[in-house]
Amino acid sequence: MSGSTIRSQIESYLVEHESESAFLRSEFSACGKSRSGVDNAIRAMIADGLLVRVGYGIYVRSERRISSITGNEITGPVEVPDVWVPELLRKLGVEPRANSAVRAYNERRTTQVPAWICYEIGSSRLRRKIRIGKGVVKYERNGQLVDLNASSKR
């Protein structure tokens, strides 16, 4: 299969799943026989501004637009992270819940609005870094913030 055929199959997949914003690399595997062909098609779609990579094997629909601050063309996710991060976590097998800071705010125990994206992941062993620009999605495991920069003990 040529790269353009693989790309057209991936684009068809995106059209068929238009209600979804986040995708795993494994979802595109059936679009081509070789892993490198699929990877090349994904890279081309990133270069064209159709997808943006937010983590290892994690892609989000994107669009190009003009920055209201600089006037330069920028590429960014179509949806806000509050929409696609929970969808992505479900695809990774984790049911995301509000973290302790969000729960405290919603229960009116504090007036501090959480300034970061963080989800309670229960006892899941998830450690994937999901980046949005310079920000990173954080996780809480049973109420404790997970340090994604700490090396795992193996």
mmCIF file with all atom_site columns, all heavy atoms in Angstrom, residues 13-15 17-28 51-52 54 57-61 84 87-88 91:
data_model
loop_
_atom_site.group_PDB
_atom_site.id
_atom_site.type_symbol
_atom_site.label_atom_id
_atom_site.label_alt_id
_atom_site.label_comp_id
_atom_site.label_asym_id
_atom_site.label_entity_id
_atom_site.label_seq_id
_atom_site.pdbx_PDB_ins_code
_atom_site.Cartn_x
_atom_site.Cartn_y
_atom_site.Cartn_z
_atom_site.occupancy
_atom_site.B_iso_or_equiv
_atom_site.pdbx_formal_charge
_atom_site.auth_seq_id
_atom_site.auth_comp_id
_atom_site.auth_asym_id
_atom_site.auth_atom_id
_atom_site.pdbx_PDB_model_num
ATOM 1   N N   . TYR A 1 13 ? -11.013 6.702  8.718  1.00 0.00 ? 13 TYR A N   1
ATOM 2   C CA  . TYR A 1 13 ? -11.231 6.273  10.100 1.00 0.00 ? 13 TYR A CA  1
ATOM 3   C C   . TYR A 1 13 ? -11.631 7.479  10.957 1.00 0.00 ? 13 TYR A C   1
ATOM 4   O O   . TYR A 1 13 ? -12.551 7.397  11.782 1.00 0.00 ? 13 TYR A O   1
ATOM 5   C CB  . TYR A 1 13 ? -9.961  5.614  10.657 1.00 0.00 ? 13 TYR A CB  1
ATOM 6   C CG  . TYR A 1 13 ? -10.123 5.091  12.061 1.00 0.00 ? 13 TYR A CG  1
ATOM 7   C CD1 . TYR A 1 13 ? -10.594 3.808  12.291 1.00 0.00 ? 13 TYR A CD1 1
ATOM 8   C CD2 . TYR A 1 13 ? -9.823  5.887  13.160 1.00 0.00 ? 13 TYR A CD2 1
ATOM 9   C CE1 . TYR A 1 13 ? -10.753 3.328  13.585 1.00 0.00 ? 13 TYR A CE1 1
ATOM 10  C CE2 . TYR A 1 13 ? -9.983  5.422  14.448 1.00 0.00 ? 13 TYR A CE2 1
ATOM 11  C CZ  . TYR A 1 13 ? -10.450 4.138  14.658 1.00 0.00 ? 13 TYR A CZ  1
ATOM 12  O OH  . TYR A 1 13 ? -10.614 3.681  15.934 1.00 0.00 ? 13 TYR A OH  1
ATOM 13  N N   . LEU A 1 14 ? -10.945 8.615  10.751 1.00 0.00 ? 14 LEU A N   1
ATOM 14  C CA  . LEU A 1 14 ? -11.257 9.819  11.520 1.00 0.00 ? 14 LEU A CA  1
ATOM 15  C C   . LEU A 1 14 ? -12.666 10.322 11.208 1.00 0.00 ? 14 LEU A C   1
ATOM 16  O O   . LEU A 1 14 ? -13.379 10.784 12.104 1.00 0.00 ? 14 LEU A O   1
ATOM 17  C CB  . LEU A 1 14 ? -10.224 10.912 11.236 1.00 0.00 ? 14 LEU A CB  1
ATOM 18  C CG  . LEU A 1 14 ? -8.805  10.637 11.708 1.00 0.00 ? 14 LEU A CG  1
ATOM 19  C CD1 . LEU A 1 14 ? -7.866  11.741 11.248 1.00 0.00 ? 14 LEU A CD1 1
ATOM 20  C CD2 . LEU A 1 14 ? -8.741  10.465 13.207 1.00 0.00 ? 14 LEU A CD2 1
ATOM 21  N N   . VAL A 1 15 ? -13.078 10.218 9.946  1.00 0.00 ? 15 VAL A N   1
ATOM 22  C CA  . VAL A 1 15 ? -14.433 10.636 9.563  1.00 0.00 ? 15 VAL A CA  1
ATOM 23  C C   . VAL A 1 15 ? -15.471 9.709  10.201 1.00 0.00 ? 15 VAL A C   1
ATOM 24  O O   . VAL A 1 15 ? -16.496 10.164 10.708 1.00 0.00 ? 15 VAL A O   1
ATOM 25  C CB  . VAL A 1 15 ? -14.580 10.664 8.020  1.00 0.00 ? 15 VAL A CB  1
ATOM 26  C CG1 . VAL A 1 15 ? -16.037 10.833 7.608  1.00 0.00 ? 15 VAL A CG1 1
ATOM 27  C CG2 . VAL A 1 15 ? -13.717 11.765 7.433  1.00 0.00 ? 15 VAL A CG2 1
ATOM 28  N N   . HIS A 1 17 ? -15.215 8.147  12.925 1.00 0.00 ? 17 HIS A N   1
ATOM 29  C CA  . HIS A 1 17 ? -15.218 8.361  14.379 1.00 0.00 ? 17 HIS A CA  1
ATOM 30  C C   . HIS A 1 17 ? -15.185 9.861  14.673 1.00 0.00 ? 17 HIS A C   1
ATOM 31  O O   . HIS A 1 17 ? -14.401 10.323 15.513 1.00 0.00 ? 17 HIS A O   1
ATOM 32  C CB  . HIS A 1 17 ? -14.017 7.650  15.007 1.00 0.00 ? 17 HIS A CB  1
ATOM 33  C CG  . HIS A 1 17 ? -14.061 6.170  14.855 1.00 0.00 ? 17 HIS A CG  1
ATOM 34  N ND1 . HIS A 1 17 ? -13.571 5.525  13.752 1.00 0.00 ? 17 HIS A ND1 1
ATOM 35  C CD2 . HIS A 1 17 ? -14.572 5.210  15.653 1.00 0.00 ? 17 HIS A CD2 1
ATOM 36  C CE1 . HIS A 1 17 ? -13.763 4.230  13.879 1.00 0.00 ? 17 HIS A CE1 1
ATOM 37  N NE2 . HIS A 1 17 ? -14.383 4.009  15.034 1.00 0.00 ? 17 HIS A NE2 1
ATOM 38  N N   . GLU A 1 18 ? -16.055 10.612 13.992 1.00 0.00 ? 18 GLU A N   1
ATOM 39  C CA  . GLU A 1 18 ? -16.020 12.062 14.120 1.00 0.00 ? 18 GLU A CA  1
ATOM 40  C C   . GLU A 1 18 ? -16.390 12.564 15.514 1.00 0.00 ? 18 GLU A C   1
ATOM 41  O O   . GLU A 1 18 ? -16.027 13.670 15.887 1.00 0.00 ? 18 GLU A O   1
ATOM 42  C CB  . GLU A 1 18 ? -16.893 12.726 13.064 1.00 0.00 ? 18 GLU A CB  1
ATOM 43  C CG  . GLU A 1 18 ? -18.379 12.492 13.229 1.00 0.00 ? 18 GLU A CG  1
ATOM 44  C CD  . GLU A 1 18 ? -19.169 13.195 12.149 1.00 0.00 ? 18 GLU A CD  1
ATOM 45  O OE1 . GLU A 1 18 ? -19.036 14.429 12.055 1.00 0.00 ? 18 GLU A OE1 1
ATOM 46  O OE2 . GLU A 1 18 ? -19.885 12.522 11.415 1.00 0.00 ? 18 GLU A OE2 1
ATOM 47  N N   . SER A 1 19 ? -17.072 11.757 16.304 1.00 0.00 ? 19 SER A N   1
ATOM 48  C CA  . SER A 1 19 ? -17.433 12.188 17.656 1.00 0.00 ? 19 SER A CA  1
ATOM 49  C C   . SER A 1 19 ? -16.260 12.047 18.629 1.00 0.00 ? 19 SER A C   1
ATOM 50  O O   . SER A 1 19 ? -16.316 12.567 19.732 1.00 0.00 ? 19 SER A O   1
ATOM 51  C CB  . SER A 1 19 ? -18.620 11.373 18.170 1.00 0.00 ? 19 SER A CB  1
ATOM 52  O OG  . SER A 1 19 ? -18.268 10.007 18.277 1.00 0.00 ? 19 SER A OG  1
ATOM 53  N N   . GLU A 1 20 ? -15.199 11.356 18.216 1.00 0.00 ? 20 GLU A N   1
ATOM 54  C CA  . GLU A 1 20 ? -14.026 11.173 19.070 1.00 0.00 ? 20 GLU A CA  1
ATOM 55  C C   . GLU A 1 20 ? -12.979 12.230 18.758 1.00 0.00 ? 20 GLU A C   1
ATOM 56  O O   . GLU A 1 20 ? -12.825 12.646 17.615 1.00 0.00 ? 20 GLU A O   1
ATOM 57  C CB  . GLU A 1 20 ? -13.431 9.783  18.858 1.00 0.00 ? 20 GLU A CB  1
ATOM 58  C CG  . GLU A 1 20 ? -14.378 8.658  19.223 1.00 0.00 ? 20 GLU A CG  1
ATOM 59  C CD  . GLU A 1 20 ? -13.785 7.289  18.931 1.00 0.00 ? 20 GLU A CD  1
ATOM 60  O OE1 . GLU A 1 20 ? -12.550 7.158  18.913 1.00 0.00 ? 20 GLU A OE1 1
ATOM 61  O OE2 . GLU A 1 20 ? -14.561 6.358  18.701 1.00 0.00 ? 20 GLU A OE2 1
ATOM 62  N N   . SER A 1 21 ? -12.245 12.637 19.778 1.00 0.00 ? 21 SER A N   1
ATOM 63  C CA  . SER A 1 21 ? -11.193 13.640 19.598 1.00 0.00 ? 21 SER A CA  1
ATOM 64  C C   . SER A 1 21 ? -9.803  13.055 19.778 1.00 0.00 ? 21 SER A C   1
ATOM 65  O O   . SER A 1 21 ? -8.854  13.547 19.192 1.00 0.00 ? 21 SER A O   1
ATOM 66  C CB  . SER A 1 21 ? -11.376 14.780 20.604 1.00 0.00 ? 21 SER A CB  1
ATOM 67  O OG  . SER A 1 21 ? -12.605 15.424 20.389 1.00 0.00 ? 21 SER A OG  1
ATOM 68  N N   . ALA A 1 22 ? -9.662  12.033 20.615 1.00 0.00 ? 22 ALA A N   1
ATOM 69  C CA  . ALA A 1 22 ? -8.357  11.458 20.935 1.00 0.00 ? 22 ALA A CA  1
ATOM 70  C C   . ALA A 1 22 ? -8.247  10.049 20.368 1.00 0.00 ? 22 ALA A C   1
ATOM 71  O O   . ALA A 1 22 ? -9.229  9.296  20.356 1.00 0.00 ? 22 ALA A O   1
ATOM 72  C CB  . ALA A 1 22 ? -8.163  11.428 22.444 1.00 0.00 ? 22 ALA A CB  1
ATOM 73  N N   . PHE A 1 23 ? -7.043  9.706  19.919 1.00 0.00 ? 23 PHE A N   1
ATOM 74  C CA  . PHE A 1 23 ? -6.817  8.407  19.296 1.00 0.00 ? 23 PHE A CA  1
ATOM 75  C C   . PHE A 1 23 ? -5.495  7.813  19.747 1.00 0.00 ? 23 PHE A C   1
ATOM 76  O O   . PHE A 1 23 ? -4.522  8.529  19.967 1.00 0.00 ? 23 PHE A O   1
ATOM 77  C CB  . PHE A 1 23 ? -6.796  8.549  17.768 1.00 0.00 ? 23 PHE A CB  1
ATOM 78  C CG  . PHE A 1 23 ? -8.047  9.144  17.215 1.00 0.00 ? 23 PHE A CG  1
ATOM 79  C CD1 . PHE A 1 23 ? -8.151  10.509 17.013 1.00 0.00 ? 23 PHE A CD1 1
ATOM 80  C CD2 . PHE A 1 23 ? -9.144  8.344  16.932 1.00 0.00 ? 23 PHE A CD2 1
ATOM 81  C CE1 . PHE A 1 23 ? -9.318  11.070 16.525 1.00 0.00 ? 23 PHE A CE1 1
ATOM 82  C CE2 . PHE A 1 23 ? -10.321 8.893  16.454 1.00 0.00 ? 23 PHE A CE2 1
ATOM 83  C CZ  . PHE A 1 23 ? -10.402 10.256 16.251 1.00 0.00 ? 23 PHE A CZ  1
ATOM 84  N N   . LEU A 1 24 ? -5.493  6.493  19.876 1.00 0.00 ? 24 LEU A N   1
ATOM 85  C CA  . LEU A 1 24 ? -4.261  5.762  20.162 1.00 0.00 ? 24 LEU A CA  1
ATOM 86  C C   . LEU A 1 24 ? -3.665  5.274  18.851 1.00 0.00 ? 24 LEU A C   1
ATOM 87  O O   . LEU A 1 24 ? -4.391  5.017  17.888 1.00 0.00 ? 24 LEU A O   1
ATOM 88  C CB  . LEU A 1 24 ? -4.552  4.567  21.071 1.00 0.00 ? 24 LEU A CB  1
ATOM 89  C CG  . LEU A 1 24 ? -5.137  4.896  22.444 1.00 0.00 ? 24 LEU A CG  1
ATOM 90  C CD1 . LEU A 1 24 ? -5.483  3.609  23.180 1.00 0.00 ? 24 LEU A CD1 1
ATOM 91  C CD2 . LEU A 1 24 ? -4.166  5.731  23.247 1.00 0.00 ? 24 LEU A CD2 1
ATOM 92  N N   . ARG A 1 25 ? -2.369  5.119  18.810 1.00 0.00 ? 25 ARG A N   1
ATOM 93  C CA  . ARG A 1 25 ? -1.686  4.638  17.613 1.00 0.00 ? 25 ARG A CA  1
ATOM 94  C C   . ARG A 1 25 ? -2.244  3.287  17.173 1.00 0.00 ? 25 ARG A C   1
ATOM 95  O O   . ARG A 1 25 ? -2.401  3.009  15.984 1.00 0.00 ? 25 ARG A O   1
ATOM 96  C CB  . ARG A 1 25 ? -0.177  4.555  17.895 1.00 0.00 ? 25 ARG A CB  1
ATOM 97  C CG  . ARG A 1 25 ? 0.673   3.731  16.959 1.00 0.00 ? 25 ARG A CG  1
ATOM 98  C CD  . ARG A 1 25 ? 0.659   4.296  15.562 1.00 0.00 ? 25 ARG A CD  1
ATOM 99  N NE  . ARG A 1 25 ? 1.464   3.532  14.649 1.00 0.00 ? 25 ARG A NE  1
ATOM 100 C CZ  . ARG A 1 25 ? 1.119   2.378  14.105 1.00 0.00 ? 25 ARG A CZ  1
ATOM 101 N NH1 . ARG A 1 25 ? -0.010  1.801  14.428 1.00 0.00 ? 25 ARG A NH1 1
ATOM 102 N NH2 . ARG A 1 25 ? 1.896   1.773  13.235 1.00 0.00 ? 25 ARG A NH2 1
ATOM 103 N N   . SER A 1 26 ? -2.594  2.450  18.121 1.00 0.00 ? 26 SER A N   1
ATOM 104 C CA  . SER A 1 26 ? -3.100  1.109  17.829 1.00 0.00 ? 26 SER A CA  1
ATOM 105 C C   . SER A 1 26 ? -4.411  1.146  17.043 1.00 0.00 ? 26 SER A C   1
ATOM 106 O O   . SER A 1 26 ? -4.731  0.197  16.331 1.00 0.00 ? 26 SER A O   1
ATOM 107 C CB  . SER A 1 26 ? -3.282  0.315  19.120 1.00 0.00 ? 26 SER A CB  1
ATOM 108 O OG  . SER A 1 26 ? -4.164  0.992  19.996 1.00 0.00 ? 26 SER A OG  1
ATOM 109 N N   . GLU A 1 27 ? -5.172  2.230  17.140 1.00 0.00 ? 27 GLU A N   1
ATOM 110 C CA  . GLU A 1 27 ? -6.420  2.339  16.396 1.00 0.00 ? 27 GLU A CA  1
ATOM 111 C C   . GLU A 1 27 ? -6.183  2.460  14.896 1.00 0.00 ? 27 GLU A C   1
ATOM 112 O O   . GLU A 1 27 ? -7.045  2.127  14.102 1.00 0.00 ? 27 GLU A O   1
ATOM 113 C CB  . GLU A 1 27 ? -7.225  3.550  16.875 1.00 0.00 ? 27 GLU A CB  1
ATOM 114 C CG  . GLU A 1 27 ? -7.733  3.413  18.296 1.00 0.00 ? 27 GLU A CG  1
ATOM 115 C CD  . GLU A 1 27 ? -8.499  4.633  18.731 1.00 0.00 ? 27 GLU A CD  1
ATOM 116 O OE1 . GLU A 1 27 ? -9.613  4.841  18.200 1.00 0.00 ? 27 GLU A OE1 1
ATOM 117 O OE2 . GLU A 1 27 ? -7.986  5.384  19.576 1.00 0.00 ? 27 GLU A OE2 1
ATOM 118 N N   . PHE A 1 28 ? -5.002  2.950  14.513 1.00 0.00 ? 28 PHE A N   1
ATOM 119 C CA  . PHE A 1 28 ? -4.689  3.133  13.099 1.00 0.00 ? 28 PHE A CA  1
ATOM 120 C C   . PHE A 1 28 ? -3.941  1.947  12.501 1.00 0.00 ? 28 PHE A C   1
ATOM 121 O O   . PHE A 1 28 ? -3.661  1.936  11.309 1.00 0.00 ? 28 PHE A O   1
ATOM 122 C CB  . PHE A 1 28 ? -3.847  4.394  12.908 1.00 0.00 ? 28 PHE A CB  1
ATOM 123 C CG  . PHE A 1 28 ? -4.495  5.655  13.409 1.00 0.00 ? 28 PHE A CG  1
ATOM 124 C CD1 . PHE A 1 28 ? -3.781  6.556  14.185 1.00 0.00 ? 28 PHE A CD1 1
ATOM 125 C CD2 . PHE A 1 28 ? -5.819  5.947  13.120 1.00 0.00 ? 28 PHE A CD2 1
ATOM 126 C CE1 . PHE A 1 28 ? -4.366  7.722  14.642 1.00 0.00 ? 28 PHE A CE1 1
ATOM 127 C CE2 . PHE A 1 28 ? -6.415  7.107  13.574 1.00 0.00 ? 28 PHE A CE2 1
ATOM 128 C CZ  . PHE A 1 28 ? -5.681  7.999  14.337 1.00 0.00 ? 28 PHE A CZ  1
ATOM 129 N N   . LEU A 1 51 ? -3.605  16.293 12.860 1.00 0.00 ? 51 LEU A N   1
ATOM 130 C CA  . LEU A 1 51 ? -3.435  15.642 14.162 1.00 0.00 ? 51 LEU A CA  1
ATOM 131 C C   . LEU A 1 51 ? -2.322  16.353 14.911 1.00 0.00 ? 51 LEU A C   1
ATOM 132 O O   . LEU A 1 51 ? -1.444  16.970 14.307 1.00 0.00 ? 51 LEU A O   1
ATOM 133 C CB  . LEU A 1 51 ? -3.050  14.164 14.004 1.00 0.00 ? 51 LEU A CB  1
ATOM 134 C CG  . LEU A 1 51 ? -4.073  13.206 13.412 1.00 0.00 ? 51 LEU A CG  1
ATOM 135 C CD1 . LEU A 1 51 ? -3.439  11.835 13.197 1.00 0.00 ? 51 LEU A CD1 1
ATOM 136 C CD2 . LEU A 1 51 ? -5.284  13.079 14.315 1.00 0.00 ? 51 LEU A CD2 1
ATOM 137 N N   . VAL A 1 52 ? -2.352  16.227 16.217 1.00 0.00 ? 52 VAL A N   1
ATOM 138 C CA  . VAL A 1 52 ? -1.257  16.703 17.054 1.00 0.00 ? 52 VAL A CA  1
ATOM 139 C C   . VAL A 1 52 ? -0.909  15.574 18.016 1.00 0.00 ? 52 VAL A C   1
ATOM 140 O O   . VAL A 1 52 ? -1.789  14.884 18.532 1.00 0.00 ? 52 VAL A O   1
ATOM 141 C CB  . VAL A 1 52 ? -1.617  18.022 17.791 1.00 0.00 ? 52 VAL A CB  1
ATOM 142 C CG1 . VAL A 1 52 ? -2.735  17.823 18.775 1.00 0.00 ? 52 VAL A CG1 1
ATOM 143 C CG2 . VAL A 1 52 ? -0.405  18.610 18.482 1.00 0.00 ? 52 VAL A CG2 1
ATOM 144 N N   . VAL A 1 54 ? 0.287   14.206 21.471 1.00 0.00 ? 54 VAL A N   1
ATOM 145 C CA  . VAL A 1 54 ? 0.290   14.691 22.854 1.00 0.00 ? 54 VAL A CA  1
ATOM 146 C C   . VAL A 1 54 ? 0.967   13.719 23.803 1.00 0.00 ? 54 VAL A C   1
ATOM 147 O O   . VAL A 1 54 ? 1.073   14.000 24.999 1.00 0.00 ? 54 VAL A O   1
ATOM 148 C CB  . VAL A 1 54 ? -1.147  15.014 23.347 1.00 0.00 ? 54 VAL A CB  1
ATOM 149 C CG1 . VAL A 1 54 ? -1.736  16.172 22.560 1.00 0.00 ? 54 VAL A CG1 1
ATOM 150 C CG2 . VAL A 1 54 ? -2.032  13.798 23.275 1.00 0.00 ? 54 VAL A CG2 1
ATOM 151 N N   . GLY A 1 57 ? 2.355   7.545  21.232 1.00 0.00 ? 57 GLY A N   1
ATOM 152 C CA  . GLY A 1 57 ? 1.255   6.822  20.608 1.00 0.00 ? 57 GLY A CA  1
ATOM 153 C C   . GLY A 1 57 ? -0.108  7.426  20.859 1.00 0.00 ? 57 GLY A C   1
ATOM 154 O O   . GLY A 1 57 ? -1.127  6.753  20.732 1.00 0.00 ? 57 GLY A O   1
ATOM 155 N N   . ILE A 1 58 ? -0.155  8.716  21.205 1.00 0.00 ? 58 ILE A N   1
ATOM 156 C CA  . ILE A 1 58 ? -1.412  9.389  21.520 1.00 0.00 ? 58 ILE A CA  1
ATOM 157 C C   . ILE A 1 58 ? -1.545  10.615 20.616 1.00 0.00 ? 58 ILE A C   1
ATOM 158 O O   . ILE A 1 58 ? -0.652  11.461 20.568 1.00 0.00 ? 58 ILE A O   1
ATOM 159 C CB  . ILE A 1 58 ? -1.457  9.836  22.994 1.00 0.00 ? 58 ILE A CB  1
ATOM 160 C CG1 . ILE A 1 58 ? -1.262  8.643  23.924 1.00 0.00 ? 58 ILE A CG1 1
ATOM 161 C CG2 . ILE A 1 58 ? -2.762  10.543 23.289 1.00 0.00 ? 58 ILE A CG2 1
ATOM 162 C CD1 . ILE A 1 58 ? -1.100  9.031  25.367 1.00 0.00 ? 58 ILE A CD1 1
ATOM 163 N N   . TYR A 1 59 ? -2.663  10.687 19.914 1.00 0.00 ? 59 TYR A N   1
ATOM 164 C CA  . TYR A 1 59 ? -2.898  11.776 18.967 1.00 0.00 ? 59 TYR A CA  1
ATOM 165 C C   . TYR A 1 59 ? -4.277  12.371 19.190 1.00 0.00 ? 59 TYR A C   1
ATOM 166 O O   . TYR A 1 59 ? -5.198  11.676 19.598 1.00 0.00 ? 59 TYR A O   1
ATOM 167 C CB  . TYR A 1 59 ? -2.787  11.257 17.526 1.00 0.00 ? 59 TYR A CB  1
ATOM 168 C CG  . TYR A 1 59 ? -1.458  10.590 17.277 1.00 0.00 ? 59 TYR A CG  1
ATOM 169 C CD1 . TYR A 1 59 ? -1.315  9.220  17.435 1.00 0.00 ? 59 TYR A CD1 1
ATOM 170 C CD2 . TYR A 1 59 ? -0.344  11.342 16.941 1.00 0.00 ? 59 TYR A CD2 1
ATOM 171 C CE1 . TYR A 1 59 ? -0.087  8.610  17.246 1.00 0.00 ? 59 TYR A CE1 1
ATOM 172 C CE2 . TYR A 1 59 ? 0.886   10.738 16.749 1.00 0.00 ? 59 TYR A CE2 1
ATOM 173 C CZ  . TYR A 1 59 ? 1.010   9.372  16.900 1.00 0.00 ? 59 TYR A CZ  1
ATOM 174 O OH  . TYR A 1 59 ? 2.237   8.773  16.732 1.00 0.00 ? 59 TYR A OH  1
ATOM 175 N N   . VAL A 1 60 ? -4.392  13.671 18.912 1.00 0.00 ? 60 VAL A N   1
ATOM 176 C CA  . VAL A 1 60 ? -5.649  14.395 19.084 1.00 0.00 ? 60 VAL A CA  1
ATOM 177 C C   . VAL A 1 60 ? -5.935  15.162 17.793 1.00 0.00 ? 60 VAL A C   1
ATOM 178 O O   . VAL A 1 60 ? -5.008  15.676 17.159 1.00 0.00 ? 60 VAL A O   1
ATOM 179 C CB  . VAL A 1 60 ? -5.548  15.377 20.279 1.00 0.00 ? 60 VAL A CB  1
ATOM 180 C CG1 . VAL A 1 60 ? -6.819  16.175 20.441 1.00 0.00 ? 60 VAL A CG1 1
ATOM 181 C CG2 . VAL A 1 60 ? -5.227  14.634 21.554 1.00 0.00 ? 60 VAL A CG2 1
ATOM 182 N N   . ARG A 1 61 ? -7.208  15.223 17.421 1.00 0.00 ? 61 ARG A N   1
ATOM 183 C CA  . ARG A 1 61 ? -7.588  16.032 16.254 1.00 0.00 ? 61 ARG A CA  1
ATOM 184 C C   . ARG A 1 61 ? -7.113  17.460 16.474 1.00 0.00 ? 61 ARG A C   1
ATOM 185 O O   . ARG A 1 61 ? -7.213  17.991 17.580 1.00 0.00 ? 61 ARG A O   1
ATOM 186 C CB  . ARG A 1 61 ? -9.100  16.094 16.097 1.00 0.00 ? 61 ARG A CB  1
ATOM 187 C CG  . ARG A 1 61 ? -9.735  14.863 15.596 1.00 0.00 ? 61 ARG A CG  1
ATOM 188 C CD  . ARG A 1 61 ? -11.245 15.122 15.446 1.00 0.00 ? 61 ARG A CD  1
ATOM 189 N NE  . ARG A 1 61 ? -11.955 13.879 15.416 1.00 0.00 ? 61 ARG A NE  1
ATOM 190 C CZ  . ARG A 1 61 ? -12.181 13.196 14.294 1.00 0.00 ? 61 ARG A CZ  1
ATOM 191 N NH1 . ARG A 1 61 ? -11.748 13.661 13.150 1.00 0.00 ? 61 ARG A NH1 1
ATOM 192 N NH2 . ARG A 1 61 ? -12.824 12.057 14.329 1.00 0.00 ? 61 ARG A NH2 1
ATOM 193 N N   . TRP A 1 84 ? -11.107 15.830 25.727 1.00 0.00 ? 84 TRP A N   1
ATOM 194 C CA  . TRP A 1 84 ? -10.417 14.670 25.159 1.00 0.00 ? 84 TRP A CA  1
ATOM 195 C C   . TRP A 1 84 ? -9.564  13.869 26.133 1.00 0.00 ? 84 TRP A C   1
ATOM 196 O O   . TRP A 1 84 ? -9.313  12.695 25.902 1.00 0.00 ? 84 TRP A O   1
ATOM 197 C CB  . TRP A 1 84 ? -9.619  15.048 23.908 1.00 0.00 ? 84 TRP A CB  1
ATOM 198 C CG  . TRP A 1 84 ? -8.552  16.088 24.068 1.00 0.00 ? 84 TRP A CG  1
ATOM 199 C CD1 . TRP A 1 84 ? -8.661  17.414 23.772 1.00 0.00 ? 84 TRP A CD1 1
ATOM 200 C CD2 . TRP A 1 84 ? -7.213  15.895 24.509 1.00 0.00 ? 84 TRP A CD2 1
ATOM 201 N NE1 . TRP A 1 84 ? -7.474  18.042 24.015 1.00 0.00 ? 84 TRP A NE1 1
ATOM 202 C CE2 . TRP A 1 84 ? -6.571  17.139 24.463 1.00 0.00 ? 84 TRP A CE2 1
ATOM 203 C CE3 . TRP A 1 84 ? -6.487  14.785 24.941 1.00 0.00 ? 84 TRP A CE3 1
ATOM 204 C CZ2 . TRP A 1 84 ? -5.245  17.323 24.837 1.00 0.00 ? 84 TRP A CZ2 1
ATOM 205 C CZ3 . TRP A 1 84 ? -5.163  14.959 25.310 1.00 0.00 ? 84 TRP A CZ3 1
ATOM 206 C CH2 . TRP A 1 84 ? -4.562  16.209 25.252 1.00 0.00 ? 84 TRP A CH2 1
ATOM 207 N N   . GLU A 1 87 ? -11.700 11.015 27.580 1.00 0.00 ? 87 GLU A N   1
ATOM 208 C CA  . GLU A 1 87 ? -11.926 10.058 26.496 1.00 0.00 ? 87 GLU A CA  1
ATOM 209 C C   . GLU A 1 87 ? -10.684 9.188  26.286 1.00 0.00 ? 87 GLU A C   1
ATOM 210 O O   . GLU A 1 87 ? -10.771 7.972  26.148 1.00 0.00 ? 87 GLU A O   1
ATOM 211 C CB  . GLU A 1 87 ? -12.237 10.846 25.217 1.00 0.00 ? 87 GLU A CB  1
ATOM 212 C CG  . GLU A 1 87 ? -12.379 10.024 23.974 1.00 0.00 ? 87 GLU A CG  1
ATOM 213 C CD  . GLU A 1 87 ? -12.552 10.905 22.747 1.00 0.00 ? 87 GLU A CD  1
ATOM 214 O OE1 . GLU A 1 87 ? -13.125 12.011 22.844 1.00 0.00 ? 87 GLU A OE1 1
ATOM 215 O OE2 . GLU A 1 87 ? -12.112 10.470 21.670 1.00 0.00 ? 87 GLU A OE2 1
ATOM 216 N N   . LEU A 1 88 ? -9.538  9.822  26.322 1.00 0.00 ? 88 LEU A N   1
ATOM 217 C CA  . LEU A 1 88 ? -8.274  9.109  26.143 1.00 0.00 ? 88 LEU A CA  1
ATOM 218 C C   . LEU A 1 88 ? -8.011  8.146  27.295 1.00 0.00 ? 88 LEU A C   1
ATOM 219 O O   . LEU A 1 88 ? -7.606  7.000  27.080 1.00 0.00 ? 88 LEU A O   1
ATOM 220 C CB  . LEU A 1 88 ? -7.137  10.122 26.029 1.00 0.00 ? 88 LEU A CB  1
ATOM 221 C CG  . LEU A 1 88 ? -5.757  9.573  25.822 1.00 0.00 ? 88 LEU A CG  1
ATOM 222 C CD1 . LEU A 1 88 ? -5.691  8.798  24.517 1.00 0.00 ? 88 LEU A CD1 1
ATOM 223 C CD2 . LEU A 1 88 ? -4.756  10.687 25.802 1.00 0.00 ? 88 LEU A CD2 1
ATOM 224 N N   . LYS A 1 91 ? -9.953  5.052  26.884 1.00 0.00 ? 91 LYS A N   1
ATOM 225 C CA  . LYS A 1 91 ? -9.358  4.175  25.870 1.00 0.00 ? 91 LYS A CA  1
ATOM 226 C C   . LYS A 1 91 ? -8.159  3.415  26.425 1.00 0.00 ? 91 LYS A C   1
ATOM 227 O O   . LYS A 1 91 ? -7.840  2.331  25.962 1.00 0.00 ? 91 LYS A O   1
ATOM 228 C CB  . LYS A 1 91 ? -8.931  4.981  24.642 1.00 0.00 ? 91 LYS A CB  1
ATOM 229 C CG  . LYS A 1 91 ? -10.096 5.438  23.804 1.00 0.00 ? 91 LYS A CG  1
ATOM 230 C CD  . LYS A 1 91 ? -9.633  6.133  22.547 1.00 0.00 ? 91 LYS A CD  1
ATOM 231 C CE  . LYS A 1 91 ? -10.824 6.498  21.686 1.00 0.00 ? 91 LYS A CE  1
ATOM 232 N NZ  . LYS A 1 91 ? -10.408 7.014  20.374 1.00 0.00 ? 91 LYS A NZ  1
#
